[in-house]
Amino acid sequence: MKDKLIHRIKKIQNLMAKKDIDILVVVNRENLIYFTGLTQIECMAVLIPLKDDPCAITLWLDADYVEQESGLKTFGYFFPKESLGSKVVERIKAYGFRAPRIGFERYFVPFAFYDVLRQNFPESNFVDAADLFYRVRAVKEPNEVEMIRRAAFAVCKGMEAAIKTIKPGISELDVLAEAEYAMLKAGSNGLPFRPQIVSGNRCLLTHPHASTKLIEEGEVVVVHLGATYNGYCAKMCRTVAVGEISAAHEKVFNLLLEAQEKAIAALRPGSKAWEVDEAAREVIRRAGFEEYYLDVIGYGVGLRQSEFYPIIGKGRQDIIEVGMVVDLLLPTIYHRDVGGPRITDVIYVGENENEILTGYPRKLIKV
């Protein structure tokens, strides 16, 4: 097994011991990438016992490749005679377990897969281990940061293409097409989420995506893009003014930019997530808009575009550490008359200073 994978396995085994988990069953793509180092994977699981060596299970055609590239002992299954679930059961029993305490990723396990485990281990306890995975992935290794940096480079190229394309009369989808093409040419391996190119009143939607709507003079356009490199994500959001926009919208953008700068300054090793949130929230509060602002302003970034540790928000006790990568700020001010503008960047937490990985100009962009 490769040294970096050994280190990751040991880290999560230490967390398993604290929750009395005998064996972890890993099937989520992001965690499979983390524990194998491979991105060309489908129909696969990794088993991590507390006191034994891990193994991988995959389709028999891929078994040699997975074992050679990851260094994990790998067992193939013959579909449809065998299934991933049945092979996982077989290997758990081969470890000597009869009624183990099994940890798995609560949000990403198909019911059919879970049902096979439950039927074969009726006396076992099944434990939600999602927080273990997010905590072990929260502090990035140098090579992980480099992957995110490469993804961020592609995002910047996509943003550059989008800005050049935006003008009255062009559709949101046309802007997205140019941005996606530019990101792929810049090395992106694909999209981590459905990108958002939204204009006018559509900017107030919480999870919008590009449509056939034509961009109009005097509108605000929000461009929210993401890219991946070897599984790792970067994202960025910028606000574009098409011609003259209202003074109120411009004021809101500058308010969000100030809030972001305060949050980035507060994002220091040893600080708590709620303190970072409060640094931004105080700016919004002073302007009288707190009731229109969300309770979460950022997440960790890595193999997911929004990882669930750390979460930057009200009351969050997550401790910021050197090597974390987070995004700030996520929300706009959700006020019908002045809301819509947004700004988001991916930030690496350094020992002495932070690095904004998405190095594209952060001012209001006017076209």
Side-chain angles (χ1 to χ4, degrees):
M1 198 182 344
K2 297 179 180 179
D3 289 345
K4 71 175 182 180
L5 300 183
I6 293 172
H7 174 66
R8 294 173 182 180
I9 295 294
K10 287 182 177 178
K11 281 201 302 182
I12 204 159
Q13 284 174 329
N14 289 336
L15 294 177
M16 290 168 62
K18 294 177 181 179
K19 294 192 73 168
D20 295 323
I21 295 174
D22 295 313
I23 189 166
L24 280 179
V25 178
V26 184
V27 293
N28 173 248
R29 178 176 173 79
E30 296 137 17
N31 289 322
L32 289 174
I33 293 172
Y34 189 75
F35 290 112
T36 67
L38 306 177
T39 58
Q40 303 293 322
I41 48 176
E42 299 291 343
C43 307
M44 183 177 173
V46 167
L47 302 182
I48 305 176
L50 177 61
K51 298 179 180 180
D52 210 331
D53 293 332
C55 72
I57 299 163
T58 190
L59 287 165
W60 68 274
L61 288 167
D62 298 332
D64 288 344
Y65 164 76
V66 170
E67 183 162 316
Q68 179 179 343
E69 295 298 319
S70 70
L72 293 173
K73 180 64 177 175
T74 302
F75 300 91
Y77 65 95
F78 293 83
F79 184 83
K81 180 181 178 181
E82 298 175 301
S83 69
L84 179 60
S86 67
K87 199 68 174 180
V88 164
V89 168
E90 176 187 307
R91 297 318 309 169
I92 291 176
K93 290 180 178 178
Y95 278 118
F97 293 118
R98 292 298 175 263
R101 187 170 164 88
I102 300 173
F104 62 95
E105 308 132 309
R106 176 181 180 182
Y107 300 107
F108 301 104
V109 176
F111 179 78
F113 182 89
Y114 166 73
D115 201 40
V116 171
L117 293 179
R118 186 180 60 178
Q119 289 182 29
N120 282 273
F121 299 105
E123 297 180 10
S124 287
N125 289 322
F126 292 89
V127 181
D128 177 16
D131 63 318
L132 273 65
F133 293 107
Y134 285 117
R135 285 177 182 269
V136 83
R137 283 164 37 192
V139 175
K140 305 300 187 285
E141 300 160 6
N143 68 302
E144 293 181 283
V145 178
E146 184 56 31
M147 300 299 180
I148 298 171
R149 189 177 281 112
R150 295 285 293 271
F153 172 80
V155 172
C156 289
K157 290 298 183 182
M159 186 64 68
E160 186 178 279
I163 302 308
K164 288 180 179 178
T165 307
I166 292 173
K167 62 182 179 181
I170 197 165
S171 76
E172 296 170 350
L173 279 171
D174 285 334
V175 176
L176 176 59
E178 296 298 327
E180 282 195 33
Y181 181 57
M183 288 190 291
L184 288 170
K185 287 191 69 176
S188 173
N189 301 149
L191 303 173
F193 60 90
R194 197 169 185 178
Q196 301 170 3
I197 311 288
V198 289
S199 56
N201 291 334
R202 283 172 33 79
C203 293
L204 283 173
L205 298 173
T206 51
H207 293 97
H209 52 82
S211 73
T212 56
K213 178 188 176 301
L214 301 182
I215 294 169
E216 299 179 22
E217 182 81 18
E219 285 189 325
V220 167
V221 180
V222 170
V223 182
H224 191 186
L225 301 176
T228 62
Y229 188 83
N230 284 354
Y232 286 84
C233 308
K235 59 198 286 192
M236 176 170 57
C237 188
R238 292 293 184 266
T239 298
V240 181
V242 182
E244 292 297 320
I245 63 172
S246 72
H249 278 107
E250 190 159 350
K251 179 181 178 181
V252 163
F253 175 82
N254 290 327
L255 190 68
L256 291 170
L257 180 59
E258 180 186 354
Q260 186 198 45
E261 290 172 345
K262 295 291 187 183
I264 293 172
L267 187 73
R268 302 303 308 134
S271 62
K272 293 184 178 180
W274 72 263
E275 295 174 315
V276 181
D277 174 90
E278 179 58 25
R281 194 169 301 278
E282 175 58 24
V283 175
I284 306 301
R285 184 183 298 121
R286 286 201 317 266
F289 289 118
E290 186 179 15
E291 65 178 299
Y292 304 105
Y293 203 56
L294 299 183
D295 288 349
V296 172
I297 66 169
Y299 292 88
V301 176
L303 289 166
R304 274 179 65 86
Q305 56 101 0
S306 292
E307 303 203 325
F308 298 136
Y309 192 89
I311 296 176
I312 312 298
K314 290 179 70 173
R316 293 289 305 193
Q317 298 297 317
D318 313 29
I319 303 296
I320 305 303
E321 300 179 51
V322 173
M324 286 183 169
V325 177
V326 303
D327 62 354
L328 292 169
L329 303 168
L330 279 182
T332 182
I333 291 171
Y334 289 94
H335 187 290
R336 183 171 298 176
D337 296 328
V338 300
R342 290 175 60 186
I343 181 166
T344 304
D345 284 284
V346 173
I347 299 109
Y348 169 74
V349 181
E351 186 172 354
N352 298 313
E353 61 181 2
N354 298 333
E355 178 186 355
I356 300 177
L357 299 178
T358 40
Y360 194 86
R362 294 187 294 134
K363 63 182 180 180
L364 179 66
I365 300 163
K366 299 184 178 183
V367 298

